[in-house]
Amino acid sequence: QQGCIAATCVQLTTSILPAHHLVHWSDKEDINMATDLVRLSCTSKGTTARASSTWKHDTRKFGPLNALNNNTEDAWKSAQSEESDPLAYFEIDFHRPVQVNELRIQFQGGFVGMDCIVYQKSGDETTDWEECEDLFIDPIDSNEVQTFESEADDAISDECSALRIEFGRSTDFYGRIVIYSLEVWGTE
């Protein structure tokens, strides 16, 4: 395991950007120096992940933890979606209260999850999922890292202990989704 290596975000263009923008990374440290945010999704901090499905049921090669490990050769790959149930999801459990400021996601182009809804859970496993009103994810079909910032003043209004991203569809004809990197940044 490579630990928790973070990155500083560099905006690619100076033009006005939509709600999300593409970024490049340079491996620096666990703190985003511009805003004092920390990477909350580090497996070394006890964060875990689960997903609706895994390609060929091979969690070692294609499991959801691969999206959190900061190794660009690993990825979470979902199984094909069924026509009767096209919805896929990815859950991150922090096992501690956090405030989320942004998500940084790198999909494989052609296998991008679309029509996303983000949910949060506060408290233990018995708590119901609530939709995050301040965190909107609208990815484009690209290999680049995409950053989605909370629209709240500081962070998602309430502290949460887990996040769930539901994907309504995929850019892949068969409904597969591939995430190379999913980082959650905020405060503890």
Side-chain angles (χ1 to χ4, degrees):
Q1 189 174 28
Q2 293 187 6
C4 187
I5 299 173
T8 303
C9 166
V10 177
Q11 190 170 322
L12 293 176
T13 175
T14 57
S15 63
I16 297 175
L17 298 169
H20 63 277
H21 55 276
L22 304 178
V23 296
H24 283 291
W25 302 84
S26 65
D27 293 332
K28 294 290 182 194
E29 51 192 88
D30 285 346
I31 298 175
N32 181 331
M33 299 307 281
T35 58
D36 294 329
L37 300 179
V38 296
R39 185 169 156 220
L40 303 170
S41 53
C42 296
T43 56
S44 63
K45 293 181 179 181
T47 300
T48 57
R50 56 177 271 196
S52 53
S53 66
T54 299
W55 182 249
K56 298 184 179 183
H57 304 286
D58 189 342
T59 56
R60 186 183 61 77
K61 286 173 108 173
F62 308 117
L65 280 176
N66 290 339
L68 303 182
N69 74 5
N70 215 34
N71 181 350
T72 56
E73 293 180 15
D74 294 339
W76 167 61
K77 297 181 182 184
S78 75
Q80 273 182 222
S81 64
E82 300 295 325
E83 224 174 282
S84 60
D85 186 22
L87 188 67
Y89 66 83
F90 190 99
E91 292 178 1
I92 302 168
D93 193 338
F94 303 106
H95 300 283
R96 63 194 186 281
V98 300
Q99 286 190 312
V100 176
N101 288 71
E102 65 185 42
L103 298 177
R104 299 173 186 176
I105 306 174
Q106 182 181 16
F107 292 96
Q108 178 176 334
F111 297 87
V112 176
M114 306 295 279
D115 300 339
C116 304
I117 300 174
V118 180
Y119 295 90
Q120 69 181 12
K121 186 180 277 195
S122 301
D124 61 18
E125 294 178 7
T126 61
T127 309
D128 291 333
W129 291 103
E130 296 178 10
E131 187 172 345
C132 294
E133 300 292 331
D134 299 322
L135 189 57
F136 180 70
I137 297 178
D138 184 23
I140 58 172
D141 192 355
S142 169
N143 292 331
E144 298 293 324
V145 174
Q146 301 176 57
T147 298
F148 306 96
E149 296 178 356
S150 172
E151 294 176 0
D153 291 336
D154 290 329
I156 289 180
S157 309
D158 301 320
E159 285 188 336
C160 69
S161 59
L163 284 181
R164 175 183 175 115
I165 304 169
E166 290 187 356
F167 306 100
R169 65 182 178 90
S170 169
T171 57
D172 174 53
F173 179 77
Y174 297 103
R176 297 168 294 186
I177 298 170
V178 178
I179 298 178
Y180 283 105
S181 174
L182 196 159
E183 293 185 356
V184 181
W185 287 76
T187 57
E188 297 182 313

